[in-house]
Amino acid sequence: MSDDGNHAMQKPTWRFEYNLNTLILIGGVMLGLVGWGVMLQEVRGSLAVHDEAIAELRSDVAELVATDRLAEPQVADLRWRVTALEAAAKSVSEAQRELAKAQQDMERTIGALASDVRVTREVVQRIDRQLGDEPARGKR
């Protein structure tokens, strides 16, 4: 109420006061923006490093592809040689198996012949004893 008794509205006066919560909030936002800026700079720096690494890898891969193209005829020649050696080794292995089988057959035949010779000698000795033909032995 005014002095004269009227109720007149008055414009409020502006009071500029520092509020601790406002200062903390403004400081946090500022630190957040600075941190975001630092992080963005780190990311851009890392991207530059990765771009350089990717460029190096691309040049290395291009070099390897060129080397591979140059080495392809040599590799084909080596493949042919390896295939030929495998075929030769297979035929040698088969020949060795056949030789081993032939040797076993020959050993069996010799064993059978030795057995037959022993039996024949025993038969001849029996016949000699029965006939009493001792001088026939001396002629041999």
Side-chain angles (χ1 to χ4, degrees):
M1 273 199 199
S2 63
D3 292 339
D4 62 356
N6 289 336
H7 292 289
M9 287 186 83
Q10 295 181 358
K11 179 179 174 185
T13 59
W14 176 260
R15 294 181 337 186
F16 186 73
E17 295 178 355
Y18 291 108
N19 185 348
L20 183 61
N21 287 336
T22 304
L23 292 176
I24 291 174
L25 182 65
I26 289 173
V29 168
M30 295 293 244
L31 286 174
L33 289 174
V34 169
W36 185 81
V38 169
M39 183 188 67
L40 183 63
Q41 190 62 28
E42 291 278 329
V43 167
R44 285 184 180 170
S46 295
L47 286 176
V49 169
H50 289 150
D51 285 342
E52 290 173 12
I54 288 171
E56 269 185 50
L57 287 174
R58 283 185 179 155
S59 68
D60 289 348
V61 167
E63 202 174 299
L64 287 173
V65 167
T67 303
D68 186 44
R69 285 185 186 146
L70 290 175
E72 186 62 35
Q74 294 171 350
V75 170
D77 184 46
L78 288 175
R79 285 184 188 141
W80 178 81
R81 287 181 181 186
V82 167
T83 304
L85 286 174
E86 286 174 346
K90 187 177 180 182
S91 66
V92 166
S93 175
E94 289 174 3
Q96 284 177 339
R97 271 190 241 119
E98 289 175 11
L99 286 173
K101 186 178 177 185
Q103 182 181 2
Q104 288 173 351
D105 290 344
M106 191 162 103
E107 287 173 356
R108 274 190 236 118
T109 304
I110 290 172
L113 284 174
S115 175
D116 289 348
V117 167
R118 235 181 283 127
V119 169
T120 305
R121 188 177 346 149
E122 289 174 7
V123 169
V124 169
Q125 286 174 354
R126 285 182 192 166
I127 292 174
D128 282 347
R129 278 189 227 134
Q130 286 176 356
L131 295 177
D133 194 12
E134 292 299 324
R137 255 189 191 195
K139 292 180 184 175
R140 285 191 220 168

